[in-house]
Amino acid sequence: MISTATQTALNAQINAEQYTSQLYLAMSAHLSEKSFKGFAHWLRVQSAEEATHALKLVDFILDRYGRLELRTINPPPTGFNGPTSIFEMVLAHEKDNTASISKCYELAKAEGDHATEIALQWFVTEQVKEELAVSELVDQLRAIGEQGGAIWYLDHNLAKR
C-alpha cells in the first residue's frame, strides 16, 4: 500500500508531467510555424517522453493499490519567442520538475517507503540527463545566436533525434 501523502504527491507529479508534455507540444507547434522543424521535432519527442513519464507514475500508483486522481491541466501559453528563449524556458521548467521530483523522493524517504523511493530514483536520474541535454542546447543557442547559418545547422541536427 501507498500512503495518502505519497499518493497525493505522486498524483500531483503526474499532472506536472502531463502539463509539461502539453507545454512542450505547444512550443513545438510554435517553432514549427516559424520553420524551425528540427527544434520542433526535438520538443515533440520530448513531449511524448513527458507523457510516458506520467504513465510510468500512473502504473506505479496502481501497482501499489493506490488511487489515481487526475486533475484538470491548465492550458500552456501560446505565445513564444525564438528558439533561445524557448529552450531557456524549457531549462527553467526542467529545473522546477527536478525540484518537484526531489520533494516526492524526500517524502518517500521520510515515510520509509522504500518501493517509492526506488521507483523515484529512475526519475531523479532521468532529470539529470534532461537538464544536461537542455543546458547544452541553451549554451549552443547562446553561442551561435539566432542569425546566420549556425542556427539552421543546429536545427537540422536536432531533426535527427
Side-chain angles (χ1 to χ4, degrees):
M1 295 291 287
I2 192 168
S3 76
T4 301
T6 298
Q7 179 178 278
T8 299
L10 293 179
N11 275 303
Q13 188 61 40
I14 289 166
N15 276 28
E17 299 286 348
Q18 290 176 323
Y19 173 79
T20 300
S21 177
Q22 293 294 307
L23 175 64
Y24 293 172
L25 187 58
M27 291 171 166
S28 172
H30 173 81
L31 288 169
S32 183
E33 290 169 4
K34 302 296 182 192
S35 296
F36 286 111
K37 303 297 185 186
F39 290 110
H41 172 75
W42 193 97
L43 282 162
R44 190 176 184 110
V45 169
Q46 196 62 34
S47 171
E49 198 173 291
E50 299 299 336
T52 300
H53 295 170
L55 291 174
K56 190 174 185 105
L57 289 168
V58 167
D59 290 341
F60 181 77
I61 288 173
L62 296 176
D63 287 349
R64 298 285 311 276
Y65 302 100
R67 183 161 191 231
L68 180 62
E69 297 175 4
L70 298 175
R71 303 281 185 233
T72 301
I73 300 168
N74 291 328
T78 55
F80 300 101
N81 292 318
T84 304
S85 173
I86 287 174
F87 280 91
E88 287 171 343
M89 287 175 61
V90 169
L91 181 57
H93 193 79
E94 288 297 333
K95 288 179 179 182
D96 289 344
N97 198 37
T98 297
S100 179
I101 289 168
S102 293
K103 287 179 185 176
C104 291
Y105 184 88
E106 288 301 321
L107 175 62
K109 187 175 180 179
E111 291 187 339
D113 184 346
H114 303 297
T116 300
E117 207 176 331
I118 291 166
L120 288 172
Q121 183 61 50
W122 181 89
F123 288 90
V124 171
T125 302
E126 182 68 8
Q127 282 306 119
V128 170
K129 293 177 194 174
E130 290 190 0
E131 280 190 38
L132 177 62
V134 177
S135 181
E136 288 174 350
L137 277 174
V138 168
D139 288 345
Q140 291 169 358
L141 284 163
R142 287 176 180 164
I144 65 174
E146 293 188 3
Q147 303 297 317
I151 189 141
W152 296 109
Y153 180 77
L154 181 57
D155 182 70
H156 175 75
N157 283 340
L158 290 179
K160 298 174 186 174
R161 179 178 185 202

